[in-house]
Amino acid sequence: MSLDSIRLEGVTTHNLKSVDVSFPKGKLVVAAGVSGSGKSSLVIDTLFEHSKTLYLGALSSKSLDMGDGDYQFDRIAGTQPPVALRQRDGGFSNPRSTVGTLTGLDGLYRLLFGAGSRPVCPACLGPTGPDLFCDDCGCFAEPHSAKHFSPNRKEGKCLQCDGIGELVGFSLEKIIPDRSKTLTEIWDGADPGTFAVPNVRKAFEAMAADIGLDLGLPFEKLSPEQTERVLHGSDTIYTLKIRKVTNDFRFEGILGFLERAYRNASSAARKNAFTNYLGREVCPACNGGRLRPESLKATVAGHTFPDFQSDELSRSIARLSEGLASGAVPAQVRELASAIVKQSANIDDVGLGHLQLRRPVTTLSGGELQRLLLAQHLASDLTGVMYVLDEPTAGLHEADTGRILASLRRLRDLGNTVIVIEHDESVIRAADWIVELGPGAGSRGGEIVFEGRFAELLNSGDSPTATAMVSDGPSRARTDLAGASWVEVRGITRNNVVDQAAKFPLGALTCVSGVSGAGKSSLVAGIHASVSRAIAQRSTGAAAESAGIEGAEALDDVIYVEQRPIGRSSRSTLVTYIGISDHIRDAFAAGADAVERGLGRGEFSPNVAGGRCESCKGLGLAEIEMTLFKSEFIVCPECEGRRFQEHVLEVRLDDKNIHDVLSMTVEDALEWFDAKSSPKVVQALGVLSEFGLGYLQLGCSTTTLSGGEAQRLNLAGELLKQRRSRTLFIFDEPTRGLHSADIRHLMALFERLISTGNTIVVIEHNVKVIAIADWVIDLGPGAGREGGRVVHSGTPEELADNAASVTGQFVRRLRDEPAAVTPLPDPAGSRQPSAAPDLGVIGELLPRAVTVVAGTARQSERNGPTPYGLVIGSLTVVSDELALIGFLVRSGSTSWNAIADTGRFCVNILGEDQREVSDAFSQGRPDSRFDALSWTPSANGCPRLSGALGTIDCSLKSSYRIGDHEFVLATVVSVGMESGTDRRPLLRTEQGASALDDYGWRRFAREAEAR
């Protein structure tokens, strides 16, 4: 057994078939395979859980017997301390938890302001002197501490909202949402337990009769005096007989009763009765800042505490960096400010720079949460750890994948083993080692079909992953939009989406795309709300156009199938969710064995006492409470995980007991159940199999399903309810968690829905799916405040030609190079010769063609990226095999220093018709040379000049000082060359032969100086 690897032998957890496999230590390892092939069973359920048990046992002060758990193996050796960064496991559901509290940045900012801000006068909120004395008011200010910037401490919190930032009260809009309803209808429709209780209603009716108020009058027709009486009551006492009891009552008004009853409610259940009528508004005292006025006025480097809380992390980084550079940050907190910048930059590096510190963790997607935890560990500098990640690229745009890879490599380069379960092709290509499970899902998977490096994977005939990567991808018959009807929603405003319009065809597939944080979910939520409102208004006769929507009259329903776990309890299983558990229990209860024993359908339910195992209450798992850690679960020793008592398990139907049936996969159950005797069961299982879920067990808990599995199961449940048409189906990233080979199931599902008269709108990152959609709405151009705008609404072909769309460049690459494999560079890893890009004709042009090296500065004084560029004397190919190029720049060049700081750049080879572009880089400030030029992000996110004859994406490798110049050595990532035209490169022929030496390097003279 090598000490350099983690070895697992004889693993039989779930569907694994006595698997033997090794993971090399200190490497980036990817576990690949189709959905349901056994990746999670091997990496998370076996390796991670066993390793966790070992180290928890070592930490415990007493012997810890965890049993065998839910995993089975013969031997595991060489394991390391484990850390799992999962998308969401229920441990981050606290509604008060924010990005700032989770990352610890809130605490750092409190320390920063506590020690680095000058207190203001508590009376006039004006500035104070060095002695904290206000000359205008003649009073002293209290010295600051971190407590003064905590909304949970009396020293800092706003007294009006108690540090919450919002005021909770009863909202008239929620109590009476439709003011056209009569007073009688309002009382009839009131929530139980609120103002509809008999004594309140009787008192109201008595008051109405007393003042001559017609109960059939719509609320909107009430006079101001009548409205006051209805809402706040009167002082008149009425003697009323209610349920044989006579008492004196005063009608205190709808709002008066609700406020008193809510204030005096003695239980949470009683308070919950009023939930639907409660509204929230920003606290007027602190304007949502949660702090007292003195704390809100304090500044560091010219910015307040709420500024850093409410702004995007990328902007906060720029603010603090500028303050450090200019000296505006006080000396005593400069080191602390630098630590904040470093930790925030880690979050920005994983593609989350658009997040705000005050954003609740519960609003983050699973992928965002996992990347946030990843950024935390990048800052910890742990070494010798085994990190396990479950699809860290989930919900991530292709343009951001490189940043995640850089973060994973940083974890690896610290001396850790990084094991990633992943479907994304870019991550698979970048892995040091690949382990693929399969070949199929469920009972057809559970085997190791490949172990090795990426170059070897492509030559593996047994690998479904390799087959999918070299194929053309999913396909479908496009819808003819010539005579299509359309829906248009206008004025969508949510989060960073402001006053945008979305138009999409009916009876077709529309993709909503854009970089992570661009506003896709906000736009789709606006579409869903508008369509839902229009459908609801139709019954009242209101015009849909009045709600800012046209074309919704062609829709009867809208269903939003989100990427969220289904089933809030571990008792929710596959069969209970799709509604066939009763049919299965009925089949067993009707059998001869059950009739003879007098057993009914209840005894065959794990949720009903009588037949279930009472030791584990039918869960099949026993809980072990741990003092210092969260509870762990092991297989129930009483029923051995079978959930039922022995006398129930003795009942058999066609030689199977209830546990055997619930342990079957969907596909096995389809063969076992008879279509005549169990038609509803067979129908439901057939739909699940059609959706690619045939590998799931009937009794599996729905809380254990991935987002993609849960979404497909959710849709299957909808389709089983009734045959739908004229319905708008909205999907939230349906390909997330799907292997490329499994997307065909999704496409077949879409076609089935469209063929029956339905419309589909999907939020999607998968370029291959976007490329075959009928219509694409692309948001951007960036994330957060730099996004939120519809930059494209049209066909995928039009998107590919849209220079303003980041998504468009990937669709264009897919169109122009459908089988291209472009690995992202790994400066620390070994490069396979076969993976080196072919420089081809560009290599022949390099020494003489005019080239502009362009990149984007990491820090920017402007909103958005700042491009930099310079014309270089010449380029040469240093190594074809290793894809290395080299060039000279002048030492101290402002433009080059800005570009080199990011380590990435794009070499643009100009055409003969672009001489003015070359001239533009010979004058002006470095950051103004692009002002008059059109540029778009290249494959690695660097400026690509529109119309360039060729481009070379590069990664900086090293540089060497040669006199007053630097020799730069770079690795070529990808190459693009315009073909099929008569355009020629712009050559430096005007310099004459003497301008170039024997090696093609231009001799540096005044006019050749690198700028």
Side-chain angles (χ1 to χ4, degrees):
M1 213 324 277
S2 172
L3 296 177
D4 296 330
S5 64
I6 301 169
R7 179 69 179 170
L8 296 89
E9 297 177 358
V11 184
T12 56
T13 305
H14 302 152
N15 69 325
L16 298 178
K17 299 172 181 176
S18 194
V19 163
D20 296 340
V21 66
S22 293
F23 296 112
K25 293 182 181 178
K27 299 295 183 181
L28 173 58
V29 182
V30 168
V34 299
S35 305
S37 60
K39 303 182 297 296
S40 296
S41 296
L42 178 68
V43 175
I44 295 178
D45 298 339
T46 303
L47 178 58
F48 171 74
E49 290 295 337
H50 173 67
S51 302
K52 182 178 69 172
T53 298
L54 289 179
Y55 285 93
L56 287 181
L59 291 172
S60 177
S61 59
K62 56 186 178 181
S63 176
L64 181 64
D65 181 12
M66 299 293 290
D68 289 333
D70 194 28
Y71 48 80
Q72 299 292 331
F73 60 89
D74 293 337
R75 181 171 178 258
I76 296 180
T79 186
Q80 295 173 297
V83 174
L85 304 183
R86 307 187 192 187
Q87 293 193 11
R88 191 179 298 273
D89 60 5
F92 301 95
S93 57
N94 185 350
R96 295 179 67 92
S97 179
T98 64
V99 171
T101 58
L102 179 63
T103 60
L105 283 170
D106 266 5
L108 294 180
Y109 271 110
R110 288 172 191 150
L111 292 172
L112 179 75
F113 274 80
S117 63
R118 181 183 295 276
V120 298
C121 173
C124 69
L125 301 180
T128 59
D131 56 354
L132 304 187
F133 183 74
C134 176
D135 293 329
D136 295 334
C137 300
C139 60
F140 286 93
E142 182 182 2
H144 277 165
S145 68
K147 297 177 183 178
H148 290 87
F149 299 93
S150 171
N152 300 320
R153 304 298 293 263
K154 65 179 186 298
E155 295 88 347
K157 68 181 178 182
C158 170
L159 298 180
Q160 184 165 341
C161 65
D162 199 34
I164 297 175
E166 296 177 322
L167 296 178
V168 179
F170 287 98
S171 168
L172 186 59
E173 285 70 26
K174 292 191 174 185
I175 298 171
I176 309 176
D178 185 356
R179 299 195 176 203
S180 66
K181 288 188 175 182
T182 66
L183 295 174
T184 298
E185 289 172 334
I186 290 171
W187 248 267
D188 289 343
D191 286 354
T194 59
F195 60 90
V197 294
N199 58 331
V200 177
R201 183 162 190 169
K202 287 287 187 182
F204 166 69
E205 291 172 348
M207 185 200 72
D210 188 28
I211 65 175
L213 178 61
D214 182 7
L215 298 182
L217 195 64
F219 184 83
E220 61 187 5
K221 300 294 185 181
L222 298 180
S223 67
E225 182 179 354
Q226 290 172 329
T227 301
E228 175 67 18
R229 290 287 181 268
V230 171
L231 296 180
H232 298 102
S234 69
D235 294 330
T236 305
I237 304 297
Y238 302 98
T239 302
L240 303 173
K241 183 177 182 180
I242 301 175
R243 295 175 182 172
K244 300 182 180 181
V245 177
T246 301
N247 259 319
D248 290 339
F249 293 94
R250 179 182 73 85
F251 178 62
E252 53 191 321
I254 293 177
L255 290 178
F257 168 79
L258 290 175
E259 290 169 356
R260 178 184 60 80
Y262 184 75
R263 185 173 56 252
N264 296 332
S266 58
S267 67
R270 178 65 180 136
K271 283 185 177 289
N272 286 338
F274 303 96
T275 301
N276 291 337
Y277 295 155
L278 290 173
R280 296 177 180 271
E281 61 180 18
V282 176
C283 173
C286 65
N287 197 29
R290 305 173 67 191
L291 301 176
R292 64 180 188 172
E294 306 95 292
S295 299
L296 293 174
K297 282 288 185 178
T299 61
V300 170
H303 300 287
T304 65
F305 191 86
D307 286 343
F308 290 107
Q309 284 281 310
S310 60
D311 223 339
E312 296 171 4
L313 280 170
S314 57
R315 290 168 62 90
S316 296
I317 293 171
R319 284 175 168 176
L320 275 183
S321 298
E322 292 165 7
L324 287 168
S326 65
V329 175
Q332 68 269 25
V333 291
R334 289 180 65 84
E335 186 175 344
L336 181 59
S338 297
I340 293 175
V341 169
K342 179 180 178 182
Q343 186 165 338
S344 300
N346 284 333
I347 299 174
D348 191 27
D349 286 343
V350 296
L352 298 177
H354 61 279
L355 294 183
Q356 301 168 318
L357 290 180
R358 68 180 183 183
R359 179 167 171 177
V361 170
T362 53
T363 67
L364 300 179
S365 69
E368 287 175 327
L369 175 60
Q370 186 177 208
R371 294 197 295 276
L372 197 60
L373 297 175
L374 173 61
Q376 288 288 89
H377 282 272
L378 287 171
S380 68
D381 290 340
L382 285 175
T383 186
V385 171
M386 180 184 70
Y387 283 97
V388 174
L389 295 94
D390 186 6
E391 297 184 46
T393 63
L396 201 62
H397 192 274
E398 293 233 10
D400 298 318
T401 302
R403 306 172 82 176
I404 285 291
L405 278 173
S407 299
L408 296 177
R409 287 166 175 157
R410 282 177 58 191
L411 277 183
R412 175 201 63 188
D413 294 343
L414 287 171
N416 301 302
T417 303
V418 182
I419 304 176
V420 181
I421 298 173
E422 190 57 82
H423 293 300
D424 187 271
E425 294 182 9
S426 297
V427 179
I428 295 173
R429 294 171 191 151
D432 301 318
W433 194 257
I434 301 167
V435 173
E436 181 177 2
L437 287 99
S443 60
R444 297 196 302 270
E447 302 175 20
I448 302 295
V449 297
F450 175 80
E451 289 182 82
R453 302 183 184 277
F454 175 72
E456 300 162 351
L457 174 70
L458 292 181
N459 298 320
S460 173
D462 298 328
S463 168
T465 298
T467 302
M469 291 178 74
V470 300
S471 69
D472 293 334
S475 62
R476 60 179 290 266
R478 299 274 290 274
T479 304
D480 184 5
L481 302 181
S485 300
W486 297 77
V487 173
E488 183 175 8
V489 182
R490 301 180 297 274
I492 300 175
T493 299
R494 285 175 181 249
N495 302 324
N496 66 331
V497 175
V498 179
D499 196 23
Q500 295 295 298
K503 181 180 179 181
F504 57 91
L506 291 167
L509 170 62
T510 297
C511 281
V512 179
S513 61
V515 298
S516 306
K520 301 181 296 297
S521 295
S522 298
L523 185 83
V524 167
I527 293 174
H528 178 244
S530 294
V531 174
S532 299
R533 186 165 54 247
I535 293 173
Q537 287 177 342
R538 194 182 305 156
S539 60
T540 65
E545 286 76 5
S546 63
I549 182 172
E550 294 180 0
E553 63 275 2
L555 295 171
D556 294 335
D557 198 3
V558 56
I559 296 175
Y560 197 165
V561 187
E562 298 183 77
Q563 271 272 18
R564 291 182 179 174
I566 56 177
R568 300 179 181 177
S569 167
S570 57
R571 294 190 179 277
S572 173
T573 63
L574 187 70
V575 290
T576 59
Y577 188 82
I578 61 174
I580 61 173
S581 56
D582 286 345
H583 299 291
I584 296 175
R585 292 197 292 269
D586 286 342
F588 271 94
D593 285 356
V595 172
E596 183 180 343
R597 289 174 168 81
L599 300 178
R601 63 186 298 189
E603 275 79 11
F604 296 95
S605 170
N607 302 324
V608 178
R612 70 182 183 185
C613 170
E614 290 304 324
S615 177
C616 62
K617 305 300 182 185
L619 287 176
L621 300 172
E623 182 178 5
I624 296 181
E625 294 185 0
M626 302 180 66
T627 304
L628 300 177
F629 307 99
K630 71 176 183 179
S631 297
E632 293 290 340
F633 291 87
I634 63 171
V635 175
C636 174
E638 185 71 23
C639 67
E640 297 179 343
R642 296 186 295 172
R643 303 185 182 184
F644 295 91
Q645 296 179 32
E646 194 61 37
H647 71 281
V648 174
L649 294 172
E650 290 175 354
V651 175
R652 295 188 170 269
L653 192 64
D654 292 341
D655 213 27
K656 302 284 186 183
N657 62 31
I658 183 67
H659 172 69
D660 295 333
V661 172
L662 293 179
S663 300
M664 287 181 178
T665 65
V666 169
E667 292 180 346
D668 292 339
L670 260 176
E671 297 179 2
W672 189 76
F673 279 101
D674 182 67
K676 293 183 179 180
S677 59
S678 305
K680 291 188 178 297
V681 174
V682 172
Q683 178 194 12
L685 296 179
V687 173
L688 294 180
S689 180
E690 181 183 349
F691 291 178
L693 299 176
Y695 59 89
L696 294 180
Q697 288 185 327
L698 300 188
C700 72
S701 171
T702 55
T703 59
T704 65
L705 302 181
S706 69
E709 290 169 336
Q711 193 174 52
R712 282 180 284 162
L713 181 58
N714 192 348
L715 181 62
E718 290 289 345
L719 293 181
L720 286 169
K721 291 177 183 177
Q722 57 181 313
R723 184 177 178 84
R724 292 184 181 274
S725 62
R726 290 171 55 92
T727 296
L728 170 61
F729 284 95
I730 299 176
F731 293 86
D732 182 9
E733 297 182 43
T735 63
R736 183 194 297 183
L738 279 185
H739 189 274
S740 299
D742 292 320
I743 296 179
R744 66 181 187 277
H745 294 296
L746 188 68
M747 292 299 104
L749 163 64
F750 285 172
E751 290 307 298
R752 172 177 170 179
L753 291 174
I754 291 174
S755 66
T756 54
N758 299 296
T759 301
I760 300 176
V761 172
V762 299
I763 300 173
E764 192 54 73
H765 285 305
N766 190 299
V767 178
K768 293 182 178 179
V769 173
I770 295 172
I772 60 175
D774 299 308
W775 196 254
V776 182
I777 301 173
D778 191 60
L779 280 90
R785 298 190 182 188
E786 300 303 320
R789 299 186 292 279
V790 175
V791 297
H792 174 82
S793 183
T795 65
E797 291 77 15
E798 294 167 340
L799 176 68
D801 296 326
N802 189 334
S805 168
V806 177
T807 306
Q809 66 167 298
F810 292 96
V811 177
R812 183 167 59 252
R813 285 174 56 196
L814 183 66
R815 178 192 66 189
D816 298 340
E817 306 171 71
V821 177
T822 310
L824 292 167
D826 181 0
S830 60
R831 193 178 187 90
Q832 297 293 331
S834 60
D838 181 10
L839 298 183
V841 67
I842 284 185
E844 301 173 5
L845 297 174
L846 291 181
R848 297 177 61 85
V850 174
T851 57
V852 175
V853 174
T856 302
R858 186 180 297 276
Q859 302 299 339
S860 169
E861 296 181 358
R862 305 189 308 176
N863 295 335
T866 300
Y868 281 80
L870 70 160
V871 180
I872 58 175
S874 59
L875 269 160
T876 192
V877 177
V878 177
S879 170
D880 280 307
E881 182 177 329
L882 298 179
L884 294 177
I885 61 171
F887 55 89
L888 288 175
V889 297
R890 181 172 292 280
S891 297
S893 166
T894 303
S895 297
W896 172 248
N897 288 340
I899 295 170
D901 184 52
T902 66
R904 300 180 301 172
F905 54 88
C906 181
V907 175
N908 295 267
I909 300 177
L910 303 184
E912 58 186 352
D913 53 345
Q914 293 180 297
R915 189 175 301 277
E916 73 283 357
V917 176
S918 176
D919 295 339
F921 282 88
S922 302
Q923 55 189 350
R925 301 189 317 277
D927 59 348
S928 67
R929 297 170 181 172
F930 278 86
D931 291 349
L933 301 175
S934 175
W935 61 278
T936 57
S938 68
N940 67 349
C942 294
R944 183 191 191 281
L945 298 176
S946 294
L949 185 71
T951 57
I952 313 173
D953 274 323
C954 299
S955 173
L956 178 63
K957 188 171 184 63
S958 58
S959 62
Y960 307 90
R961 186 70 176 265
I962 303 177
D964 59 350
H965 290 82
E966 286 183 44
F967 177 74
V968 176
L969 193 62
T971 303
V972 176
V973 180
S974 63
V975 172
M977 184 70 183
E978 186 176 291
S979 59
T981 69
D982 294 331
R983 288 185 68 200
R984 296 179 179 275
L986 177 59
L987 303 178
R988 292 192 175 275
T989 54
E990 74 279 3
Q991 300 299 330
S994 62
L996 300 176
D997 61 20
D998 293 338
Y999 297 96
W1001 287 99
R1002 182 178 174 189
R1003 296 191 180 92
F1004 275 75
R1006 177 181 57 81
E1007 69 275 14
E1009 177 178 290
R1011 304 180 189 278

